[in-house]
């Protein structure tokens, strides 16, 4: 099975390469090509291609069996400065990859985001209201919409990934909290608990991707599935767990009394549809990724 993976050197892409079954013939696509210091499993082929550029698909092999579009902009929150990059990667590149997949692919998998939903105090199912308040979420939702018509030609799956974390992640919510706890800096909390999350370990995301890419029966020709962790935690609780596993006492500062709700995944469909182990609890994953022994090994 020949699988093309965009964003192969990104945080989730690296985890997927580690988890890829040996029978996959992986085509790894990255903006800068194969890293000089690459130490993971070696894909069958590396392709250097900038998905922001028209015609990048001409660099790709003529035929693959599945496409997993994981490529991300280098920053997601610098709107409006990054609007063009988000648009080019999340919409134009998706459209070009869908057309490329028409050459014979059987499955197309899009990595989307749980932030397409309206913030809520309750877990969010795949049928809950959409309310894209950021340009990033709007661009991902737009990509979902252009994927759907292609399900008449091949199977299409959208994975709405919630707050992903793990060892080696940089400049994302959980990694920023880790850095603040490590440095003894206060974490801002709105209300009693702060923004609600269901953090999911990157290896559990990779497992969901492997099962989706290689799946034969995953419901209908077009499926949207939440990928999140099993816990509903506020920023305060997440930070307290990080402090506990890191052996550091976290500090907090208040940003008002109103509870903000947040983005907690209802993962009933994930556990029903995919033959994978249940995602690990946040404290388990945090211990594996951020414990004192791990930080010491990293030289932190």
């Amino acid at each position: 099975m020949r699988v093309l993976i965009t964003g192969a050197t990104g945080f989730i892409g690296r985890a997927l390469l580690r988890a890829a079954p040996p029978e996959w013939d992986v085509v790894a696509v990255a903006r800068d090509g194969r890293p000089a210091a690459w130490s993971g499993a070696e894909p069958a082929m590396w392709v250097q291609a900038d998905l922001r550029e028209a015609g990048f698909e001409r660099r790709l092999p003529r035929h693959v069996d599945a496409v997993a579009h994981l490529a991300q902009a280098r920053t997601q929150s610098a709107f409006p400065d990054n609007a063009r990059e988000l648009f080019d990667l999340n919409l134009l590149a998706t459209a070009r990859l869908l057309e490329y997949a028409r050459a014979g692919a059987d499955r197309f998998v899009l990595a989307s985001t749980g932030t397409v939903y309206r913030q809520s105090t309750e877990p969010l199912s795949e049928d809950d209201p959409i309310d894209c308040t950021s340009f990033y979420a709007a661009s991902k939702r737009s990509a979902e919409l252009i994927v759907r018509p292609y399900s008449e030609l091949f199977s299409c799956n959208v994975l709405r990934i919630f707050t992903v974390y793990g060892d080696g992640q940089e400049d994302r919510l959980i990694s920023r909290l880790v850095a603040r706890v490590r440095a003894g800096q206060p974490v801002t909390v709105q209300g009693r608990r702060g923004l609600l999350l269901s953090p999911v370990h990157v290896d559990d995301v990779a497992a969901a991707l492997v099962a989706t890419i290689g799946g034969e029966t995953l419901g209908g020709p077009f499926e949207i599935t939440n990928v999140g962790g099993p816990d509903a935690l506020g920023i305060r609780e997440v930070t307290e767990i990080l402090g506990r596993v890191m052996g550091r006492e976290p500090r907090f500062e208040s940003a008002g009394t109103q509870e903000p709700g947040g983005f907690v995944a209802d993962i009933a469909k994930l556990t029903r549809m995919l033959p994978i182990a249940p995602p690990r609890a946040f404290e388990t994953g945090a211990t594996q990724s951020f414990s004192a022994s791990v930080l010491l090994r990293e030289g932190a």
Side-chain angles (χ1 to χ4, degrees):
M1 180 180 182
R2 195 171 220 198
V3 179
L4 184 139
I5 300 171
T6 72
T9 57
F11 183 57
I12 296 175
R14 296 195 307 271
L16 178 55
L17 291 186
R18 291 194 300 267
E23 62 269 21
W24 283 12
D25 182 19
V26 174
V27 179
V29 182
R31 184 180 302 184
D32 299 321
R34 183 190 186 280
W38 182 257
S39 60
E42 194 68 46
M45 178 187 299
W46 282 97
V47 176
Q48 182 175 357
D50 189 338
L51 272 60
R52 299 171 299 175
E53 297 177 355
F56 73 82
E57 60 271 31
R58 291 194 292 269
R59 294 175 174 263
L60 308 180
R62 294 182 61 184
H63 169 77
V64 296
D65 299 297
V67 175
H69 184 23
L70 312 182
Q72 295 278 359
R74 297 195 189 278
T75 178
Q76 299 170 5
S77 57
F79 179 81
D81 292 342
N82 67 342
R84 178 60 184 270
E85 183 179 15
L86 288 172
F87 183 86
D88 288 347
L89 279 174
N90 293 346
L91 274 81
L92 291 183
T94 300
R96 289 172 176 139
L97 285 166
L98 286 162
E99 281 295 292
Y100 164 75
R102 288 177 57 195
D106 298 316
R107 187 176 300 279
F108 188 97
V109 179
L110 174 71
S112 187
T113 173
T115 59
V116 299
Y117 294 110
R118 181 180 302 161
Q119 284 187 220
S120 175
T121 57
E122 300 296 327
L124 295 156
S125 76
E126 290 81 359
D127 297 323
D128 276 324
I130 297 297
D131 184 19
C132 301
T133 57
S134 70
F135 190 91
Y136 171 72
S139 66
K140 282 294 191 180
R141 177 56 179 158
S142 299
E144 295 180 4
L145 293 174
I146 63 174
V147 166
R148 182 161 195 162
Y150 284 85
S151 62
E152 297 180 3
L153 306 175
F154 40 77
S155 296
C156 293
N157 294 86
V158 171
L159 299 186
R160 288 178 177 161
I161 301 169
F162 283 66
T163 309
V164 66
Y165 70 93
D167 184 21
Q169 187 184 38
E170 297 179 356
D171 199 28
R172 292 293 185 266
L173 177 56
I174 300 298
S175 63
R176 288 194 291 266
L177 291 176
V178 169
R180 296 192 75 81
V181 172
R182 181 187 299 165
Q185 297 173 335
V187 171
T188 302
V189 177
Q190 184 176 351
R192 182 175 58 87
R193 301 177 66 190
L195 184 73
L196 300 178
L197 310 168
S198 55
V200 58
H201 193 277
V202 68
D203 289 344
D204 293 322
V205 175
L209 282 162
V210 168
T212 302
I213 294 165
E216 296 181 1
T217 55
L218 293 171
F222 178 78
E223 291 289 345
I224 294 175
T225 308
N226 289 338
V227 180
D231 304 310
L233 302 171
I235 290 288
R236 178 180 292 275
E237 296 152 308
V238 167
T239 305
E240 288 171 344
I241 290 171
L242 291 173
R244 193 155 56 242
V245 304
M246 293 167 63
R248 310 282 177 92
E249 186 67 31
R251 298 170 53 206
F252 298 97
E253 60 185 14
S254 176
T257 59
Q258 184 175 357
E259 297 296 333
F263 302 99
V264 172
D266 179 335
I267 57 172
K269 185 176 181 180
L270 173 73
T271 57
R272 183 178 71 250
M273 286 185 58
L274 297 182
I276 59 175
R280 70 203 72 186
F282 178 65
E283 185 147 2
T284 300
T287 301
Q288 294 167 343
S289 299
F290 311 122
S291 66
S293 60
V294 171
L295 295 178
L296 182 63
R297 186 170 66 246
E298 293 177 348

